[in-house]
C-alpha cells in the first residue's frame, strides 16, 4: 500500500463509520434512532481510532487536510506531498459517504426531514453566526492538531526504554487520538457539529449533492466554506504551537 492509497482507505473508513453513526442516530426506523449526542461523539471517536490503526504505519494516518497542512507548515511534510494527501482524503471521504448512503438505503425514504438527511453527510451550526461558527471550528481543530502531535511526539528516553515501548505504543496511541476526538466532540462540538476536518465535511457534502437521495433538500453550500477554512486555520495554529513547545 502506498501513501495515496493509505490516506484514501483511512479517510474512507473514517467517514464510513463516522457518517454511519450519524445515519444510525438521525434516520428513522434504525436501531439507533434518536440515541443522542453521546452515541454520535463516541462513534466518531471510534471511527478515528480504527482509521488510524489501519494506515498509521503507511501514511501517518493524517486522514484530514488540516493535519496535512499543519505538518507541512512546520516542515514535517514536504509541500509537494500535500496535494497527494488531500486528494486521497477527499476521494476517500466521498466514497465513504456514498457507502453510508448504500448501507441505509431504505431509511432515506422513511425519513421526511431533509435537514436530518444532510446532517448524515455534513455539519451545520446550532446558531448560524458565521464568525462565531468559524471561530469554533478554528478552536476545535487547534485542539485536535496540537493534541494529536503531542500524543504522537517522540519521547525523551533511553534506547532501552524506546525498545520496550515499541511493544505497546502502536496499540495505545491511535486509541488516545480517538479519545481526543471524543473529548472534542463532547466539549466543543455543540455549536457547529465539530467538522474539524475539511475532507470530513466537504467530501460528504459533495456526495450529498450528487447522490440520488430520496427527498433530500439543498446541500447548504453557503455554509460549506466554514468547515473548510476554519479547520485549515486551526490546524496550522495547532502545529505552530506544537513546534514552539515540543520541538
Amino acid at each position: 500500500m502506498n501513501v495515496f492509497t493509505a490516506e484514501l482507505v483511512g479517510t474512507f473508513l473514517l467517514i464510513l463509520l463516522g457518517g454511519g453513526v450519524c445515519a444510525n442516530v438521525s434516520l428513522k426506523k434504525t436501531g439507533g434512532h434518536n440515541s443522542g449526542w453521546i452515541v454520535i461523539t463516541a462513534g466518531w471517536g471510534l471511527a478515528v481510532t480504527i482509521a488510524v490503526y489501519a494506515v498509521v504505519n503507511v501514511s501517518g494516518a493524517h486522514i484530514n487536510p488540516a493535519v496535512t497542512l499543519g505538518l507541512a507548515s512546520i516542515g514535517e511534510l514536504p509541500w509537494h506531498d500535500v496535494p497527494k494527501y488531500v486528494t486521497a482524503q477527499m476521494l476517500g471521504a466521498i466514497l465513504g459517504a456514498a457507502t453510508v448512503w448504500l448501507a441505509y438505503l431504505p431509511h432515506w425514504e422513511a425519513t421526511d426531514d431533509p435537514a436530518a438527511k444532510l446532517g448524515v453527510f455534513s455539519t451545520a451550526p446550532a446558531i448560524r453566526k458565521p464568525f462565531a461558527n468559524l471561530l469554533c471550528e478554528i478552536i476545535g481543530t487547534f485542539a485536535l492538531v496540537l493534541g494529536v502531535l503531542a500524543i504522537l511526539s517522540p519521547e525523551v528516553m533511553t534506547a532501552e526504554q524506546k525498545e520496550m515501548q515499541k511493544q505497546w505504543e502502536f496499540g495505545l496511541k491511535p486509541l488516545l487520538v480517538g479519545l481526543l476526538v471524543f473529548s472534542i466532540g463532547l466539549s466543543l462540538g455543540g455549536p457547529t457539529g465539530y467538522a474539524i476536518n475539511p475532507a470530513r465535511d466537504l467530501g460528504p457534502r459533495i456526495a450529498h449533492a450528487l447522490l440520488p437521495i430520496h427527498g433530500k433538500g439543498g446541500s447548504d453550500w453557503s455554509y460549506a466554506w466554514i468547515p473548510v477554512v476554519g479547520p485549515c486555520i486551526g490546524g496550522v495554529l495547532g502545529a505552530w504551537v506544537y513546534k514552539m513547545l515540543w520541538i
Side-chain angles (χ1 to χ4, degrees), residues 43 63 69 76-77 79 82 93-95 97 105 125 128 176 178 181-182 189 200 207 218 226 235:
I63 59 175
L69 290 173
E76 293 295 313
L77 180 75
W79 278 104
V82 171
I94 293 170
L95 291 172
L105 205 54
R128 191 173 291 256
L176 294 177
V181 173
F182 185 29
R200 172 264 175 273
I226 289 174

PDB file of all heavy atoms in Angstrom, residues 43 63 69 76-77 79 82 93-95 97 105 125 128 176 178 181-182 189 200 207 218 226 235:
ATOM      1  N   GLY A  43     -19.131   7.400  18.494  1.00  0.00           N
ATOM      2  CA  GLY A  43     -18.958   6.775  17.191  1.00  0.00           C
ATOM      3  C   GLY A  43     -17.846   7.419  16.379  1.00  0.00           C
ATOM      4  O   GLY A  43     -17.044   6.726  15.740  1.00  0.00           O
ATOM      5  N   ILE A  63      -5.514  11.567   7.485  1.00  0.00           N
ATOM      6  CA  ILE A  63      -6.954  11.453   7.225  1.00  0.00           C
ATOM      7  C   ILE A  63      -7.704  12.779   7.423  1.00  0.00           C
ATOM      8  O   ILE A  63      -8.886  12.795   7.724  1.00  0.00           O
ATOM      9  CB  ILE A  63      -7.619  10.322   8.038  1.00  0.00           C
ATOM     10  CG1 ILE A  63      -7.449  10.502   9.538  1.00  0.00           C
ATOM     11  CG2 ILE A  63      -7.063   8.962   7.601  1.00  0.00           C
ATOM     12  CD1 ILE A  63      -8.203   9.467  10.385  1.00  0.00           C
ATOM     13  N   LEU A  69      -1.886  20.069   6.298  1.00  0.00           N
ATOM     14  CA  LEU A  69      -1.418  21.440   6.178  1.00  0.00           C
ATOM     15  C   LEU A  69      -0.620  21.869   7.399  1.00  0.00           C
ATOM     16  O   LEU A  69       0.387  22.577   7.280  1.00  0.00           O
ATOM     17  CB  LEU A  69      -2.607  22.383   5.973  1.00  0.00           C
ATOM     18  CG  LEU A  69      -3.316  22.297   4.624  1.00  0.00           C
ATOM     19  CD1 LEU A  69      -4.577  23.153   4.636  1.00  0.00           C
ATOM     20  CD2 LEU A  69      -2.389  22.723   3.489  1.00  0.00           C
ATOM     21  N   GLU A  76       7.321  19.415   8.674  1.00  0.00           N
ATOM     22  CA  GLU A  76       7.292  17.984   8.961  1.00  0.00           C
ATOM     23  C   GLU A  76       6.762  17.160   7.787  1.00  0.00           C
ATOM     24  O   GLU A  76       6.724  15.936   7.857  1.00  0.00           O
ATOM     25  CB  GLU A  76       6.425  17.715  10.195  1.00  0.00           C
ATOM     26  CG  GLU A  76       6.996  18.276  11.484  1.00  0.00           C
ATOM     27  CD  GLU A  76       8.312  17.612  11.871  1.00  0.00           C
ATOM     28  OE1 GLU A  76       8.394  16.364  11.825  1.00  0.00           O
ATOM     29  OE2 GLU A  76       9.267  18.353  12.199  1.00  0.00           O
ATOM     30  N   LEU A  77       6.349  17.828   6.715  1.00  0.00           N
ATOM     31  CA  LEU A  77       5.886  17.166   5.497  1.00  0.00           C
ATOM     32  C   LEU A  77       6.249  18.056   4.322  1.00  0.00           C
ATOM     33  O   LEU A  77       5.990  19.268   4.372  1.00  0.00           O
ATOM     34  CB  LEU A  77       4.359  16.951   5.546  1.00  0.00           C
ATOM     35  CG  LEU A  77       3.734  16.258   4.328  1.00  0.00           C
ATOM     36  CD1 LEU A  77       4.040  14.761   4.356  1.00  0.00           C
ATOM     37  CD2 LEU A  77       2.233  16.483   4.281  1.00  0.00           C
ATOM     38  N   TRP A  79       5.940  20.162   1.055  1.00  0.00           N
ATOM     39  CA  TRP A  79       4.756  20.791   0.475  1.00  0.00           C
ATOM     40  C   TRP A  79       4.306  20.089  -0.804  1.00  0.00           C
ATOM     41  O   TRP A  79       3.108  20.064  -1.115  1.00  0.00           O
ATOM     42  CB  TRP A  79       5.027  22.265   0.187  1.00  0.00           C
ATOM     43  CG  TRP A  79       4.859  23.129   1.411  1.00  0.00           C
ATOM     44  CD1 TRP A  79       5.833  23.670   2.185  1.00  0.00           C
ATOM     45  CD2 TRP A  79       3.617  23.526   2.013  1.00  0.00           C
ATOM     46  NE1 TRP A  79       5.287  24.373   3.223  1.00  0.00           N
ATOM     47  CE2 TRP A  79       3.925  24.314   3.145  1.00  0.00           C
ATOM     48  CE3 TRP A  79       2.279  23.295   1.702  1.00  0.00           C
ATOM     49  CZ2 TRP A  79       2.958  24.873   3.964  1.00  0.00           C
ATOM     50  CZ3 TRP A  79       1.297  23.853   2.518  1.00  0.00           C
ATOM     51  CH2 TRP A  79       1.638  24.628   3.628  1.00  0.00           C
ATOM     52  N   VAL A  82       1.545  17.558  -0.260  1.00  0.00           N
ATOM     53  CA  VAL A  82       0.228  17.982   0.223  1.00  0.00           C
ATOM     54  C   VAL A  82      -0.896  17.667  -0.766  1.00  0.00           C
ATOM     55  O   VAL A  82      -1.930  17.110  -0.373  1.00  0.00           O
ATOM     56  CB  VAL A  82       0.244  19.479   0.603  1.00  0.00           C
ATOM     57  CG1 VAL A  82      -1.171  19.990   0.889  1.00  0.00           C
ATOM     58  CG2 VAL A  82       1.129  19.690   1.828  1.00  0.00           C
ATOM     59  N   ALA A  93     -13.276  10.367   1.439  1.00  0.00           N
ATOM     60  CA  ALA A  93     -14.457  10.896   2.118  1.00  0.00           C
ATOM     61  C   ALA A  93     -15.704  10.758   1.247  1.00  0.00           C
ATOM     62  O   ALA A  93     -16.785  10.398   1.738  1.00  0.00           O
ATOM     63  CB  ALA A  93     -14.228  12.362   2.492  1.00  0.00           C
ATOM     64  N   ILE A  94     -15.581  11.052  -0.039  1.00  0.00           N
ATOM     65  CA  ILE A  94     -16.731  10.920  -0.943  1.00  0.00           C
ATOM     66  C   ILE A  94     -17.173   9.470  -1.036  1.00  0.00           C
ATOM     67  O   ILE A  94     -18.377   9.157  -0.960  1.00  0.00           O
ATOM     68  CB  ILE A  94     -16.375  11.481  -2.330  1.00  0.00           C
ATOM     69  CG1 ILE A  94     -16.179  13.003  -2.250  1.00  0.00           C
ATOM     70  CG2 ILE A  94     -17.462  11.140  -3.348  1.00  0.00           C
ATOM     71  CD1 ILE A  94     -15.593  13.614  -3.509  1.00  0.00           C
ATOM     72  N   LEU A  95     -16.213   8.561  -1.176  1.00  0.00           N
ATOM     73  CA  LEU A  95     -16.556   7.138  -1.269  1.00  0.00           C
ATOM     74  C   LEU A  95     -17.166   6.625   0.039  1.00  0.00           C
ATOM     75  O   LEU A  95     -18.116   5.830   0.030  1.00  0.00           O
ATOM     76  CB  LEU A  95     -15.311   6.325  -1.616  1.00  0.00           C
ATOM     77  CG  LEU A  95     -14.754   6.517  -3.022  1.00  0.00           C
ATOM     78  CD1 LEU A  95     -13.417   5.798  -3.171  1.00  0.00           C
ATOM     79  CD2 LEU A  95     -15.746   6.012  -4.062  1.00  0.00           C
ATOM     80  N   ALA A  97     -18.906   8.383   2.222  1.00  0.00           N
ATOM     81  CA  ALA A  97     -20.268   8.910   2.329  1.00  0.00           C
ATOM     82  C   ALA A  97     -21.226   8.172   1.405  1.00  0.00           C
ATOM     83  O   ALA A  97     -22.376   7.887   1.779  1.00  0.00           O
ATOM     84  CB  ALA A  97     -20.266  10.404   2.001  1.00  0.00           C
ATOM     85  N   LEU A 105     -29.961   2.462   2.731  1.00  0.00           N
ATOM     86  CA  LEU A 105     -30.786   2.755   1.566  1.00  0.00           C
ATOM     87  C   LEU A 105     -32.291   2.844   1.848  1.00  0.00           C
ATOM     88  O   LEU A 105     -32.939   3.788   1.391  1.00  0.00           O
ATOM     89  CB  LEU A 105     -30.509   1.718   0.473  1.00  0.00           C
ATOM     90  CG  LEU A 105     -30.784   2.143  -0.965  1.00  0.00           C
ATOM     91  CD1 LEU A 105     -30.049   3.424  -1.322  1.00  0.00           C
ATOM     92  CD2 LEU A 105     -30.380   1.022  -1.918  1.00  0.00           C
ATOM     93  N   PRO A 125     -24.468  24.572  11.809  1.00  0.00           N
ATOM     94  CA  PRO A 125     -24.377  25.262  13.095  1.00  0.00           C
ATOM     95  C   PRO A 125     -25.695  25.209  13.865  1.00  0.00           C
ATOM     96  O   PRO A 125     -26.777  25.232  13.279  1.00  0.00           O
ATOM     97  CB  PRO A 125     -24.051  26.697  12.680  1.00  0.00           C
ATOM     98  CG  PRO A 125     -24.705  26.852  11.339  1.00  0.00           C
ATOM     99  CD  PRO A 125     -24.595  25.509  10.666  1.00  0.00           C
ATOM    100  N   ARG A 128     -26.664  29.993  13.541  1.00  0.00           N
ATOM    101  CA  ARG A 128     -25.916  30.394  12.345  1.00  0.00           C
ATOM    102  C   ARG A 128     -25.368  31.806  12.508  1.00  0.00           C
ATOM    103  O   ARG A 128     -26.040  32.801  12.250  1.00  0.00           O
ATOM    104  CB  ARG A 128     -26.796  30.285  11.109  1.00  0.00           C
ATOM    105  CG  ARG A 128     -26.035  30.438   9.778  1.00  0.00           C
ATOM    106  CD  ARG A 128     -26.941  30.139   8.604  1.00  0.00           C
ATOM    107  NE  ARG A 128     -27.295  28.741   8.559  1.00  0.00           N
ATOM    108  CZ  ARG A 128     -26.770  27.845   7.711  1.00  0.00           C
ATOM    109  NH1 ARG A 128     -25.875  28.229   6.830  1.00  0.00           N
ATOM    110  NH2 ARG A 128     -27.158  26.598   7.745  1.00  0.00           N
ATOM    111  N   LEU A 176      -5.632   6.825  21.908  1.00  0.00           N
ATOM    112  CA  LEU A 176      -5.605   8.147  22.527  1.00  0.00           C
ATOM    113  C   LEU A 176      -6.067   9.228  21.555  1.00  0.00           C
ATOM    114  O   LEU A 176      -6.745  10.184  21.950  1.00  0.00           O
ATOM    115  CB  LEU A 176      -4.199   8.464  23.034  1.00  0.00           C
ATOM    116  CG  LEU A 176      -3.687   7.600  24.192  1.00  0.00           C
ATOM    117  CD1 LEU A 176      -2.256   7.971  24.538  1.00  0.00           C
ATOM    118  CD2 LEU A 176      -4.588   7.737  25.411  1.00  0.00           C
ATOM    119  N   GLY A 178      -8.261   8.754  19.182  1.00  0.00           N
ATOM    120  CA  GLY A 178      -9.715   8.608  19.149  1.00  0.00           C
ATOM    121  C   GLY A 178     -10.381   9.209  20.373  1.00  0.00           C
ATOM    122  O   GLY A 178     -11.436   9.858  20.272  1.00  0.00           O
ATOM    123  N   VAL A 181     -10.603  12.959  19.964  1.00  0.00           N
ATOM    124  CA  VAL A 181     -11.732  13.374  19.115  1.00  0.00           C
ATOM    125  C   VAL A 181     -13.043  13.238  19.878  1.00  0.00           C
ATOM    126  O   VAL A 181     -13.934  14.086  19.758  1.00  0.00           O
ATOM    127  CB  VAL A 181     -11.743  12.545  17.814  1.00  0.00           C
ATOM    128  CG1 VAL A 181     -12.999  12.826  16.998  1.00  0.00           C
ATOM    129  CG2 VAL A 181     -10.502  12.860  16.985  1.00  0.00           C
ATOM    130  N   PHE A 182     -13.191  12.180  20.650  1.00  0.00           N
ATOM    131  CA  PHE A 182     -14.374  12.011  21.504  1.00  0.00           C
ATOM    132  C   PHE A 182     -14.505  13.192  22.460  1.00  0.00           C
ATOM    133  O   PHE A 182     -15.579  13.776  22.628  1.00  0.00           O
ATOM    134  CB  PHE A 182     -14.232  10.695  22.263  1.00  0.00           C
ATOM    135  CG  PHE A 182     -15.421  10.304  23.112  1.00  0.00           C
ATOM    136  CD1 PHE A 182     -16.714  10.694  22.800  1.00  0.00           C
ATOM    137  CD2 PHE A 182     -15.231   9.507  24.236  1.00  0.00           C
ATOM    138  CE1 PHE A 182     -17.799  10.318  23.584  1.00  0.00           C
ATOM    139  CE2 PHE A 182     -16.305   9.124  25.030  1.00  0.00           C
ATOM    140  CZ  PHE A 182     -17.588   9.531  24.706  1.00  0.00           C
ATOM    141  N   GLY A 189     -18.130  20.386  20.423  1.00  0.00           N
ATOM    142  CA  GLY A 189     -18.855  20.021  19.214  1.00  0.00           C
ATOM    143  C   GLY A 189     -20.236  20.615  19.062  1.00  0.00           C
ATOM    144  O   GLY A 189     -20.782  20.647  17.959  1.00  0.00           O
ATOM    145  N   ARG A 200     -13.805  15.700   5.924  1.00  0.00           N
ATOM    146  CA  ARG A 200     -14.949  15.089   6.584  1.00  0.00           C
ATOM    147  C   ARG A 200     -16.250  15.810   6.243  1.00  0.00           C
ATOM    148  O   ARG A 200     -17.312  15.204   6.180  1.00  0.00           O
ATOM    149  CB  ARG A 200     -14.734  15.103   8.107  1.00  0.00           C
ATOM    150  CG  ARG A 200     -15.942  14.659   8.948  1.00  0.00           C
ATOM    151  CD  ARG A 200     -16.754  15.851   9.426  1.00  0.00           C
ATOM    152  NE  ARG A 200     -17.960  15.455  10.124  1.00  0.00           N
ATOM    153  CZ  ARG A 200     -19.123  15.193   9.547  1.00  0.00           C
ATOM    154  NH1 ARG A 200     -19.246  15.227   8.230  1.00  0.00           N
ATOM    155  NH2 ARG A 200     -20.180  14.886  10.273  1.00  0.00           N
ATOM    156  N   ALA A 207     -20.909  14.411  -1.944  1.00  0.00           N
ATOM    157  CA  ALA A 207     -21.666  13.175  -2.164  1.00  0.00           C
ATOM    158  C   ALA A 207     -23.168  13.425  -2.020  1.00  0.00           C
ATOM    159  O   ALA A 207     -23.969  12.918  -2.812  1.00  0.00           O
ATOM    160  CB  ALA A 207     -21.200  12.102  -1.179  1.00  0.00           C
ATOM    161  N   GLY A 218     -31.407  20.965  -0.247  1.00  0.00           N
ATOM    162  CA  GLY A 218     -30.143  21.525  -0.700  1.00  0.00           C
ATOM    163  C   GLY A 218     -28.977  21.074   0.154  1.00  0.00           C
ATOM    164  O   GLY A 218     -29.155  20.522   1.253  1.00  0.00           O
ATOM    165  N   ILE A 226     -17.091  27.344   5.877  1.00  0.00           N
ATOM    166  CA  ILE A 226     -16.667  27.448   7.281  1.00  0.00           C
ATOM    167  C   ILE A 226     -15.975  26.176   7.769  1.00  0.00           C
ATOM    168  O   ILE A 226     -14.886  26.248   8.364  1.00  0.00           O
ATOM    169  CB  ILE A 226     -17.861  27.844   8.173  1.00  0.00           C
ATOM    170  CG1 ILE A 226     -18.230  29.301   7.896  1.00  0.00           C
ATOM    171  CG2 ILE A 226     -17.549  27.632   9.661  1.00  0.00           C
ATOM    172  CD1 ILE A 226     -19.470  29.786   8.605  1.00  0.00           C
ATOM    173  N   GLY A 235      -5.697  24.061  12.223  1.00  0.00           N
ATOM    174  CA  GLY A 235      -4.655  23.053  12.087  1.00  0.00           C
ATOM    175  C   GLY A 235      -3.272  23.655  12.025  1.00  0.00           C
ATOM    176  O   GLY A 235      -2.329  23.163  12.668  1.00  0.00           O
TER     177      GLY A 235
END
